[in-house]
Amino acid sequence: GYYTPGCGYSSPNHNIMRFPPYVVDQQSAFLLRRSLARSPLMVWKRRMLWNRVLIESRKPEVCHVAILAGVHGDEQAGFRAFERLLVRLSREPLLQGRVSLIPGNLLAASRKRPTRCAAGQDMNRLFAEPHVLAQQGLVPSGPDWQRAQELTHYLRDVDVLLDLHSTSSPSKPFVVIDKVDDRMRALLAGMPVQRIDYSYRGVLPGTTMEYVERHGGRAITVECGEHRQASGTGAKVAFASAIALLRNLGMLEPGPNPIVTSIPTVRLITRGLIRHPASLQYEPWFKSGAKVAPGQRLAHDRTGEYRAPSAEQLASMLNDNVPDHLIAIMVTAPTRVARVKPHDAYLLGIIDS
């Protein structure tokens, strides 16, 4: 590796650009912003310029926050937020801890027309043991899996992960977490989100969040709005969420007191894993946001039909507290379901009263 005064430390072995304590200098921030503006990582085939940007305070051991963008290559809001974060952290030094800015699926993101994944496997289901992958029709090989393995090197010792995503259809910003407790509510304070989805573990295996929490950290996914708003609203939501988290952890000076509002919470119940996506057909009424009765038919393919959990199944899952209806949190277009493994088609949840 080598150190350049004012430009930090660059490690060819680990592709890390590391800035000296206290501050990201203006020159380094400019160079990185310029590279991000051309492409999320420069060019994969000519070796990436950086695999992580590590920004440290004089007390780096206090807390390690990782901010991850582009786990799905066509979700670019996080990359745009990185540009703004580099400017902000070049002007306002961290008070404590360290921050890693990590680009996700580099190959998928760097294409002329970015794609969700590099070679047909959802990278955000690949942070799991081989038997869990096999249950979802995934294999531990290929560029998506290889990149997931590279990221485990950076995520293993993270205290808090902020994973920045966006949605394929119009949506308001929301977060996905595992548990709604006082500690998590403190971390979320001030984030510009309008819904909290929780209890993802067991419903969505093999995610970055599950990996970090399995190793003792806390994890937050922010869905920043629709893909095509990445450079506008999406980037603003991603940036504001990152700044709020760093303030809540005492890593930046406090901002204005956030307006305290009641944010609806939705418990994730089940996902639709499709057996034959090429023949998938939804019921005409079944769309994101639709109310779903227990046991109601949702879709079919040539292997059979797909139904919501029955009242008996819900009673077992929810200790006999069976709701009148569930909510379709996400319903993915059949063509998109067919392109990526695992073939997740929909998510169902229950709005807490």
Side-chain angles (χ1 to χ4, degrees):
Y2 60 90
Y3 179 82
T4 304
C7 291
Y9 175 82
S10 297
S11 167
N13 294 329
H14 296 99
N15 298 106
I16 298 170
M17 187 165 284
R18 180 172 181 166
F19 296 104
Y22 259 168
V23 69
V24 182
D25 63 276
Q26 296 282 0
Q27 180 184 1
S28 297
F30 169 75
L31 291 172
L32 277 168
R33 290 202 312 277
R34 189 169 63 180
S35 73
L36 281 164
R38 294 188 189 131
S39 159
L41 71 148
M42 293 300 278
V43 181
W44 170 277
K45 292 181 180 178
R46 286 187 289 161
R47 283 191 169 273
M48 66 200 84
L49 173 66
W50 55 276
N51 209 5
R52 173 175 66 155
V53 179
L54 178 61
I55 304 159
E56 293 186 328
S57 71
R58 290 194 180 276
K59 303 176 186 176
E61 73 286 349
V62 172
C63 184
H64 182 195
V65 173
I67 304 176
L68 185 57
V71 166
H72 298 133
D74 57 354
E75 300 177 11
Q76 305 260 311
F79 292 125
R80 303 285 79 80
F82 278 4
E83 298 172 33
R84 298 185 63 184
L85 281 167
L86 286 164
V87 174
R88 180 63 170 268
L89 296 176
S90 70
R91 297 171 179 168
E92 183 180 354
L94 294 174
L95 302 176
Q96 60 182 9
R98 62 193 191 275
V99 176
S100 292
L101 304 182
I102 306 174
N105 198 325
L106 296 167
L107 180 56
S110 64
R111 288 171 172 160
K112 185 173 182 180
R113 184 176 180 181
T115 55
R116 181 176 178 84
C117 53
Q121 295 196 109
D122 186 340
M123 198 177 82
N124 208 25
R125 299 292 184 273
L126 294 172
F127 294 85
E129 300 299 326
H131 72 277
V132 177
L133 300 181
Q135 291 169 1
Q136 303 180 84
L138 300 170
V139 295
S141 63
D144 298 297
W145 181 80
Q146 290 167 2
R147 180 58 180 158
Q149 297 306 296
E150 292 172 4
L151 290 181
T152 61
H153 173 76
Y154 302 115
L155 299 179
R156 194 172 295 123
D157 70 339
V158 164
D159 295 303
V160 182
L161 169 69
L162 182 66
D163 193 356
L164 301 170
H165 287 256
S166 56
T167 57
S168 57
S169 57
S171 71
K172 296 178 180 179
F174 64 95
V175 298
V176 183
I177 58 174
D178 185 33
K179 296 178 181 178
V180 183
D181 54 23
D182 290 342
R183 172 64 172 158
M184 182 56 73
R185 288 190 183 276
L187 293 177
L188 298 178
M191 290 190 185
V193 296
Q194 299 187 30
R195 194 181 80 222
I196 298 172
D197 293 353
Y198 70 98
S199 195
Y200 74 89
R201 297 187 79 168
V203 178
L204 298 172
T207 63
T208 58
M209 299 175 64
E210 185 182 55
Y211 183 84
V212 167
E213 298 205 336
R214 200 162 67 232
H215 287 81
R218 299 301 297 267
I220 302 164
T221 288
V222 179
E223 296 283 356
C224 301
E226 192 177 5
H227 297 339
R228 59 186 178 184
Q229 297 176 323
S231 60
T233 303
K236 291 178 182 177
V237 170
F239 173 75
S241 298
I243 293 298
L245 177 62
L246 296 178
R247 284 173 170 168
N248 294 337
L249 289 165
M251 297 171 72
L252 290 177
E253 292 286 355
N257 290 329
I259 299 173
V260 178
T261 59
S262 178
I263 301 176
T265 55
V266 178
R267 175 174 174 173
L268 301 181
I269 295 297
T270 189
R271 64 171 173 161
L273 190 59
I274 303 303
R275 297 178 291 270
H276 192 266
S279 60
L280 173 64
Q281 293 186 41
Y282 294 122
E283 295 299 306
W285 58 270
F286 186 52
K287 295 178 173 57
S288 296
K291 293 182 178 181
V292 178
Q296 190 168 10
R297 175 174 153 138
L298 309 175
H300 68 276
D301 63 22
R302 75 179 189 184
T303 70
E305 62 183 12
Y306 300 87
R307 290 182 175 272
S310 66
E312 292 76 16
Q313 290 171 321
L314 290 171
S316 175
M317 296 164 62
L318 303 172
N319 298 320
D320 294 326
N321 187 20
V322 179
D324 294 331
H325 64 269
L326 296 86
I327 293 292
I329 296 172
M330 177 197 74
V331 180
T332 304
T335 53
R336 190 174 175 88
V337 174
R339 283 200 300 266
V340 179
K341 293 181 178 179
H343 300 302
D344 292 335
Y346 56 84
L347 277 174
L348 302 181
I350 298 172
I351 298 177
D352 293 334
S353 56

